[in-house]
Amino acid sequence: MAKYDLTTRIAPNLDRHLVFPLLEFLQDRQIYDDDHILKAKIQLLNKTNMVDYAMDIHKTLYNTQHLPQDMVDRRVEVVARLKSQEEAAAPLVAFLQNAAAVQELRADKQYNLQLLNEKYKIGPVQIEALYEYAKFQFECGNYSGAADYLYQYRALCTNSERSLSALWGKLAAEILMQNWDIALEELNRLKEIIDSKNFASPLNQVQSRIWLMHWSLFIFFNHDNGRTLIIDLFNQDKYLNVIQTSAPHLLRYLATAFVVNKRRRPQFKDFIKVIQQEQHSYKDPITEFLACVYVNYDFDGAQKKMRECEEVILNDPFLCKRVEESNFSTVPLRDEFLENARLFIFETYCRIHQRIDMRVLAEKLNLNYEEAERWIVNLIRGSRLDAKIDSQTGTVTMEPNHPNVYEQLIDHTKALNGRTYKLVSQLLEHVQAQAAR
């Protein structure tokens, strides 16, 4: 399953701390050699302050209690820097721990800064020291402390760039603590800033959207309403265009969300066109399954792809989750996907065949004739297909459905927006590349 693993595509768009859960998953699934994963962990840890964790992995990897001198020296350095950071941030930290003093603060940032400066002798230097201390705590793996300090820092910070950086850090900390409701709030806050901010370059805004979508995968495939929310975000024109131009592997997650989400079927038709357009730039069993059903009408191929889809879902760190059903019970996302995938096959099959032998469908459904008949009746009702069942001949007769010419015209013109955006983005990249030479 390594050929379907997207870690090497996803990891460059994540904070390095967010990569650790992915490596843990790969190690648990044994998709790669264990030593390979441990070495990757050490390589990541070397750029953080989680020295003790790196030491433990080194001992496991090389089966030794002896540690390299550079690791020992690094630990001494981290401890010394931690003490220095604590001292620099101490005045503001002490103030924040004083409940009575904090009650004096108001919603007015300028008032708060003046109050801190005049009454408590806390100025910009101490406020920036809190940011550095929060960042240091994050690098040490103390995500709870980092989240608290970054929240307080943003309430006092007047530097928009620093405040944005702190928001990214807060989002990462909440994800790592698996506080999905709070993480979703921070994600939405960050999206509003990205969509409204005046970036120095359009490419910087594109990159921010790429990061946002990659980070959001942790939330959307853990939050109860995530499979709907990911469609709401990824399927927006400005985000879908970014996926098509810069991160087509994210189509796997949007495709999965569409399959398991029955409430977003009206948008599904346009998404199939995206799958068709992007087959040359990205495909995996999940996108190929949709292409088999809705583009090529290859139902035998779709059946084969379904089996591959199951393996992909089981070995993807985001997709191997449980989803909530309408009765508040939870089922593996895999089961929900496969059930809806079978439904897609037979819905489409019924739409393109005028007469269908129920015995053939029963065989494919692995049901007896009576069960298949009931299943097909429910399928016709649920899909609003114009069909009749002839119990004497054992067939389903479908009435032809001719699409409206105006609807076809609208469908064709809708795709122009995406193609135009893609062309403009490519031209911008080319111009900027030429200017940089």
Side-chain angles (χ1 to χ4, degrees):
M1 290 306 297
K3 67 178 179 178
Y4 297 128
D5 174 36
L6 296 179
T7 304
T8 55
R9 294 197 186 192
I10 292 173
N13 297 294
L14 300 176
D15 180 275
R16 62 177 61 91
H17 289 255
L18 294 175
V19 180
F20 286 116
L22 305 188
L23 295 181
E24 291 285 351
F25 176 85
L26 293 176
Q27 189 174 12
D28 181 62
R29 283 293 193 274
Q30 298 182 336
I31 295 175
Y32 299 100
D33 181 72
D34 202 47
D35 287 356
H36 179 75
I37 299 296
L38 291 174
K39 288 177 181 177
K41 284 184 178 180
I42 290 179
Q43 188 177 2
L44 272 179
L45 288 167
N46 286 339
K47 297 177 181 179
T48 72
N49 296 332
M50 300 165 70
V51 187
D52 290 341
Y53 186 23
M55 287 178 169
D56 290 340
I57 293 177
H58 180 90
K59 291 174 183 177
T60 302
L61 178 60
Y62 297 105
N63 193 24
T64 180
Q65 293 299 310
H66 176 72
L67 293 169
Q69 189 59 42
D70 62 334
M71 273 192 171
V72 177
D73 294 342
R74 171 72 174 150
R75 190 180 191 284
V76 173
E77 177 195 346
V78 168
V79 172
R81 285 181 58 203
L82 176 59
K83 185 177 180 181
S84 173
Q85 298 274 11
E86 283 178 340
E87 291 175 354
L92 186 48
V93 170
F95 169 82
L96 295 172
Q97 291 173 345
N98 184 337
V102 170
Q103 296 234 337
E104 297 182 56
L105 298 177
R106 299 179 183 175
D108 186 340
K109 229 178 232 191
Q110 292 302 323
Y111 172 85
N112 293 338
L113 293 175
Q114 186 176 353
L115 172 71
L116 288 172
N117 190 37
E118 293 178 356
K119 189 171 181 179
Y120 297 95
K121 308 304 179 189
I122 295 173
V125 173
Q126 287 76 27
I127 293 173
E128 289 306 309
L130 181 66
Y131 172 83
E132 296 297 337
Y133 183 52
K135 187 177 177 182
F136 196 89
Q137 289 288 338
F138 182 88
E139 292 298 338
C140 288
N142 179 11
Y143 305 124
S144 177
D148 289 342
Y149 291 137
L150 288 170
Y151 172 80
Q152 299 291 354
Y153 172 79
R154 292 193 71 242
L156 299 170
C157 175
T158 56
N159 184 320
S160 60
E161 291 300 324
R162 280 281 205 173
S163 181
L164 181 59
S165 177
L167 183 55
W168 280 106
K170 177 79 160 49
L171 173 60
E174 299 297 350
I175 289 172
L176 290 161
M177 291 188 293
Q178 300 183 19
N179 294 332
W180 305 124
D181 287 334
I182 299 174
L184 179 60
E185 291 175 8
E186 303 296 1
L187 181 78
N188 290 333
R189 196 170 285 120
L190 196 52
K191 177 185 178 295
E192 288 178 12
I193 295 173
I194 291 171
D195 288 346
S196 61
K197 185 176 183 294
N198 290 323
F199 287 83
S201 162
L203 292 181
N204 293 342
Q205 187 176 47
V206 167
Q207 185 59 63
S208 294
R209 285 180 174 144
I210 292 172
W211 291 336
L212 187 78
M213 286 188 286
H214 282 86
W215 291 35
S216 73
L217 294 175
F218 291 93
I219 303 168
F220 290 146
F221 287 99
N222 283 285
H223 194 279
D224 291 342
N225 199 32
R227 269 65 62 193
T228 297
L229 297 174
I230 190 174
I231 295 174
D232 293 342
L233 177 63
F234 284 27
N235 205 48
Q236 290 182 35
D237 284 345
K238 52 194 171 188
Y239 284 88
L240 187 57
N241 290 329
V242 169
I243 290 174
Q244 291 180 261
T245 55
S246 305
H249 54 276
L250 293 179
L251 289 173
R252 170 187 292 185
Y253 302 104
L254 183 53
T256 302
F258 267 119
V259 172
V260 301
N261 195 317
K262 297 176 182 177
R263 290 176 290 179
R264 289 293 185 270
R265 292 296 169 83
Q267 301 160 277
F268 186 52
K269 186 176 179 182
D270 289 333
F271 177 67
I272 292 301
K273 294 175 183 177
V274 174
I275 292 291
Q276 185 176 9
Q277 292 167 7
E278 300 303 322
Q279 286 183 90
H280 66 284
S281 60
Y282 177 79
K283 59 183 178 181
D284 65 22
I286 294 175
T287 62
E288 287 179 309
F289 165 77
L290 292 177
C292 284
V293 176
Y294 292 103
V295 179
N296 305 320
Y297 304 117
D298 177 7
F299 300 105
D300 290 335
Q303 292 275 7
K304 293 176 183 177
K305 288 300 173 185
M306 274 181 63
R307 291 191 288 272
E308 293 180 28
C309 286
E310 185 173 7
E311 289 300 314
V312 169
I313 291 170
L314 286 173
N315 291 284
D316 186 289
F318 301 107
L319 301 182
C320 63
K321 304 293 182 182
R322 300 183 71 85
V323 295
E324 186 172 339
E325 292 191 311
S326 56
N327 60 0
F328 301 106
S329 63
T330 61
V331 296
L333 186 144
R334 174 196 62 181
D335 294 354
E336 188 80 4
F337 181 95
L338 294 177
E339 175 63 25
N340 285 345
R342 292 188 187 98
L343 186 63
F344 283 7
I345 290 174
F346 289 106
E347 279 182 345
T348 309
Y349 189 85
C350 288
R351 284 193 173 96
I352 64 175
H353 290 81
Q354 188 170 0
R355 187 179 295 272
I356 304 159
D357 188 335
M358 285 197 294
R359 289 181 176 80
V360 174
L361 292 182
E363 183 179 347
K364 290 188 176 184
L365 286 168
N366 196 26
L367 299 172
N368 62 43
Y369 185 88
E370 289 75 18
E371 290 173 333
E373 185 173 15
R374 285 196 298 271
W375 191 91
I376 293 167
V377 168
N378 291 332
L379 173 65
I380 291 171
R381 288 174 179 169
S383 303
R384 298 179 182 176
L385 297 175
D386 191 2
K388 296 178 181 178
I389 294 179
D390 188 335
S391 298
Q392 291 183 346
T393 60
T395 59
V396 179
T397 303
M398 308 299 301
E399 295 297 328
N401 182 18
H402 301 293
N404 184 290
V405 65
Y406 297 106
E407 291 179 356
Q408 288 182 306
L409 180 61
I410 291 170
D411 287 342
H412 286 305
T413 54
K414 276 182 181 177
L416 288 175
N417 181 50
R419 290 198 293 269
T420 303
Y421 184 93
K422 190 170 184 176
L423 179 60
V424 171
S425 297
Q426 290 172 341
L427 286 171
L428 276 172
E429 289 178 9
H430 177 72
V431 170
Q432 292 192 353
Q434 290 289 335
R437 291 177 182 174

